[in-house]
């Protein structure tokens, strides 16, 4: 098993440093010896995917994934088609920046049963999977914590994501394991083992007590109650030895000095992951 006392598997999401532009993220991660980057689509927007792809290729950073696609459910047929079209664009953008994976936040539509949203998520993924395959891009279904079941994800456990990936049964469709969303689940260890080679990516951060904002109050590893290292052991035993991606949305941390914050993330990675 690769030793994590170095940074060879460390990837950081650009959203972790939301105040920075893509160019600033690239410069800072390169200077800090962080070899992996996951790019959020709003970091692509100012200069477009083609120019972003060139900047990333020139940097030598490994582009780990594009965040995010998904949000398939809608109360209207037009809304569902718009979501499919947007996911086709996300796949194209991933290919343009050299990202092998689009992470899917599945979505949910308030006003219809969660089962209906889940059916629409399956339909949406089935509709875009052939395009993903043609583009050489994989799709990771990311279950979100149940507190987001109203409008962000009708897929709330790894069991549900595994069931979906199994039913879709497409070589380009797998799952993303994010400790923030899944740490509480008594079935997690078993479902990680079941996912096995379907695990396409692994996201880390921490759960703060109290959580003051359900979207933007994540902690850096070690600031909360998630046993990140233990869960990392489970995903590695399942056969995953890819990137470990730090994804922290935090109004508090975004307000700090970003270079110092990046150094703290590196230390936390060594100490707690
Ligand atoms: Zn995540």
């Amino acid at each position: 098993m690769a030793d994590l006392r170095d940074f060879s598997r460390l990837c950081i999401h650009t959203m972790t440093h939301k105040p920075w532009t893509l160019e600033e993220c690239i410069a800072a991660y390169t200077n800090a010896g962080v070899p992996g980057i996951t790019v959020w689509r709003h970091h692509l927007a100012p200069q477009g995917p083609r120019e972003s792809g060139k900047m990333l290729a020139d940097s030598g950073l490994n582009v780990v994934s594009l965040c995010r696609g998904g949000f398939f459910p809608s109360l209207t047929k037009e809304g569902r088609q718009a979501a499919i079209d947007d996911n086709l664009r996300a796949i194209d953008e991933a290919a343009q920046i050299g990202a092998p994976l689009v992470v899917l936040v599945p979505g949910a539509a308030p006003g219809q049963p969660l089962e209906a949203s889940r059916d629409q998520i399956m339909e949406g993924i089935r509709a875009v999977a052939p395009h993903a395959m043609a583009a050489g891009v994989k799709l990771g279904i990311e279950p979100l914590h149940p507190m987001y079941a109203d409008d962000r994800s009708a897929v709330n456990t790894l069991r549900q994501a595994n069931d979906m990936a199994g039913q879709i049964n497409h070589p380009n469709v797998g799952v993303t394991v994010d400790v923030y969303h899944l740490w509480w689940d008594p079935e997690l260890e078993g479902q990680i083992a079941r996912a096995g080679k379907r695990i396409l990516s692994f996201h880390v951060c921490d759960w703060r007590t109290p959580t003051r904002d359900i979207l933007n109050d994540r902690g850096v590893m070690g600031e909360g109650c998630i046993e990140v290292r233990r869960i990392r052991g489970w995903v590695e035993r399942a056969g995953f030895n890819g990137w470990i991606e730090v994804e922290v949305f935090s109004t508090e941390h975004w307000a700090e000095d970003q270079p110092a914050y990046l150094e703290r993330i590196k230390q936390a990675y060594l100490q707690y992951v």
Side-chain angles (χ1 to χ4, degrees):
M1 201 53 64
D3 192 335
L4 290 192
R5 279 172 291 181
D6 63 44
F7 299 114
S8 60
R9 291 172 61 194
L10 173 59
C11 165
I12 300 184
H13 283 227
T14 59
M15 191 67 168
T16 299
H17 293 101
K18 189 181 177 190
W20 279 342
T21 64
L22 180 62
E23 188 175 16
E24 289 170 325
C25 288
I26 289 171
Y29 300 168
T30 305
N31 290 336
V34 175
I37 184 169
T38 276
V39 181
W40 278 63
R41 288 178 84 188
H42 75 259
H43 277 101
L44 294 184
Q47 63 284 327
R50 192 176 306 276
E51 178 61 22
S52 300
K54 188 175 178 312
M55 289 159 57
L56 289 158
D58 290 346
S59 75
L61 289 173
N62 295 273
V63 183
V64 176
S65 62
L66 178 68
C67 281
R68 58 201 182 191
F71 289 97
F72 291 106
S74 170
L75 298 181
T76 67
K77 196 168 188 300
E78 294 71 30
R80 296 193 290 278
Q81 186 59 49
I84 287 169
D85 293 343
D86 187 56
N87 278 271
L88 296 173
R89 279 194 296 276
I91 290 164
D92 291 338
E93 290 172 13
Q96 282 178 296
I97 66 167
L101 172 69
V102 173
V103 176
L104 302 178
V105 170
Q112 68 182 9
L114 290 172
E115 291 87 343
S117 285
R118 288 183 200 120
D119 288 345
Q120 293 170 4
I121 292 163
M122 299 260 289
E123 278 172 34
I125 296 173
R126 283 198 172 105
V128 302
H131 189 64
M133 191 167 189
V137 171
K138 295 202 172 181
L139 304 171
I141 304 169
E142 181 175 28
L144 262 54
H145 190 282
M147 68 179 170
Y148 302 116
D150 57 343
D151 63 352
R152 287 180 180 265
S153 182
V155 181
N156 306 108
T157 64
L158 188 55
R159 172 186 287 275
Q160 290 173 319
N162 277 334
D163 286 350
M164 261 185 196
Q167 286 174 54
I168 293 168
N169 195 25
H170 188 285
N172 286 60
V173 177
V175 300
T176 286
V177 173
D178 184 326
V179 300
Y180 191 73
H181 299 300
L182 301 176
W183 68 277
W184 56 273
D185 184 352
E187 292 193 329
L188 184 57
E189 183 178 5
Q191 290 297 322
I192 285 173
R194 177 186 168 208
K197 290 293 183 191
R198 280 209 171 104
I199 299 174
L200 300 179
S201 59
F202 180 51
H203 297 175
V204 299
C205 67
D206 214 336
W207 183 281
R208 296 179 68 142
T209 307
T211 291
R212 298 160 296 184
D213 180 288
I214 67 168
L215 270 187
N216 295 322
D217 196 30
R218 296 187 184 198
V220 174
M221 303 77 73
E223 289 181 338
C225 58
I226 301 178
E227 295 177 285
V228 178
R229 183 164 292 176
R230 187 169 175 217
I231 299 172
R232 183 200 112 212
W234 296 342
V235 299
E236 289 178 351
R237 272 197 288 285
F240 179 83
N241 57 11
W243 295 95
I244 296 176
E245 305 180 40
V246 178
E247 182 191 39
V248 181
F249 318 144
S250 165
T251 305
E252 180 177 309
H253 292 316
W254 289 330
E256 295 171 9
D257 175 68
Q258 294 296 291
Y261 172 47
L262 174 55
E263 282 307 310
R264 284 222 319 287
I265 288 172
K266 289 172 63 185
Q267 293 313 310
Y269 177 80
L270 296 181
Q271 196 170 348
Y272 296 106
V273 177

